[in-house]
Amino acid sequence: ARVAKAARILELGPYMQRKPRELSGGQRQRVAMGRAIVRQPKVFCMDEPLSNLDAKLRVSTRSQIAQLQRRLGVTTVYVTHDQVEAMTMGHRVAVLKDGRLQQCDTPSTLYDRPVNTFVASFIGSPAITMTRSASREGEVTIHGLPVALDRATMAKARGDVVVGFRPESWRVVGADEPGIEIEVELVESLGSEAFVHGEPVRSLDDATVAIGADRVTFKVIG
């Protein structure tokens, strides 16, 4: 009865008479979860269960595992090196480095308020960009572009600070706005969005370039 119930939950009914070699990678993964379900555990422990699947199957199986966890209501400890899996599936995420816990919190808190530069650089794709700057009179300077600090940050900032800014915190600006000129090295077009990779050239007050040119000017907005 437990096997039949697990098969229904995992939609494995049509494959119950097949040999393991006749199953796809995703189906084998669901069989492994079914074997755990029939034991009625109090905790599921999953150690990189999607690492051997191709990209498309990884996305669909990730969704199935998340739905299964909500349906069964069983606490699940899920180990992964893939930050996307951690951020999309976890209610609370623990970030480890060299066997030491760096931060344990909700995905949104890890992203918005990392406790150190390692967590900040580990969470987020494309990765956060960090640079060292001196804080003076309530602002920092990023490649010549002054950026104002909020009051909470101003109270903590003393001398040189590490400034981190995520890609979505910048936008392309026009000719009448100050920004940082970027020498474009690569543009990754994903259809709905494009990632521009490059190195800062200098700060300037009048930008006259746009995406598609050799250089593009950005301004921080957050």
Side-chain angles (χ1 to χ4, degrees):
R2 292 183 186 177
V3 171
K5 181 180 179 180
R8 287 196 302 272
I9 292 173
L10 297 167
E11 300 178 357
L12 287 171
Y15 313 106
M16 293 296 286
Q17 303 306 316
R18 295 191 183 184
K19 301 292 185 181
R21 65 176 178 273
E22 299 173 323
L23 299 175
S24 68
Q27 291 163 352
R28 293 183 188 185
Q29 206 71 305
R30 280 189 281 162
V31 169
M33 288 187 284
R35 295 174 67 184
I37 290 172
V38 296
R39 292 176 171 83
Q40 297 181 333
K42 294 182 178 179
V43 178
F44 286 122
C45 295
M46 299 187 181
D47 187 2
E48 298 192 82
L50 309 183
S51 59
N52 294 324
L53 304 182
D54 60 51
K56 183 177 180 180
L57 192 56
R58 192 180 302 125
V59 172
S60 61
T61 307
R62 184 176 72 206
S63 175
Q64 291 171 349
I65 292 176
Q67 293 173 5
L68 177 65
Q69 196 281 328
R70 287 195 295 268
R71 182 173 180 178
L72 297 178
V74 178
T75 298
T76 302
V77 179
Y78 190 105
V79 179
T80 180
H81 287 87
D82 188 329
Q83 59 157 297
V84 175
E85 289 180 20
M87 296 291 282
T88 57
M89 299 175 68
H91 298 111
R92 292 182 65 81
V93 180
V95 180
L96 300 174
K97 179 186 179 185
D98 299 328
R100 293 183 177 274
L101 179 64
Q102 303 296 307
Q103 186 173 358
C104 180
D105 219 312
T106 62
S108 59
T109 300
L110 290 179
Y111 188 84
D112 295 329
R113 295 189 295 277
V115 297
N116 55 36
T117 55
F118 174 78
V119 176
S121 61
F122 185 76
I123 300 296
S125 180
I128 193 172
T129 298
M130 288 185 281
T131 184
R132 188 171 293 278
S133 173
S135 60
R136 295 187 181 90
E137 299 179 355
E139 66 179 24
V140 294
T141 302
I142 304 174
H143 298 292
L145 179 68
V147 178
L149 300 175
D150 58 62
R151 291 191 176 185
T153 305
M154 286 173 55
K156 299 177 182 178
R158 294 290 186 275
D160 287 353
V161 296
V162 175
V163 181
F165 42 92
R166 299 195 182 276
E168 60 271 24
S169 297
W170 295 81
R171 64 180 175 86
V172 180
V173 299
D176 58 341
E177 298 181 81
I180 299 174
E181 190 175 16
I182 301 295
E183 187 79 41
V184 177
E185 298 174 346
L186 172 67
V187 177
E188 294 179 316
S189 178
L190 303 180
S192 61
E193 58 187 357
F195 298 142
V196 179
H197 301 260
E199 291 291 333
V201 178
R202 58 186 175 87
S203 176
L204 73 171
D205 294 328
D206 52 343
T208 57
V209 293
I211 284 183
D214 292 333
R215 292 183 179 179
V216 62
T217 301
F218 290 91
K219 178 182 180 182
V220 68
I221 58 174

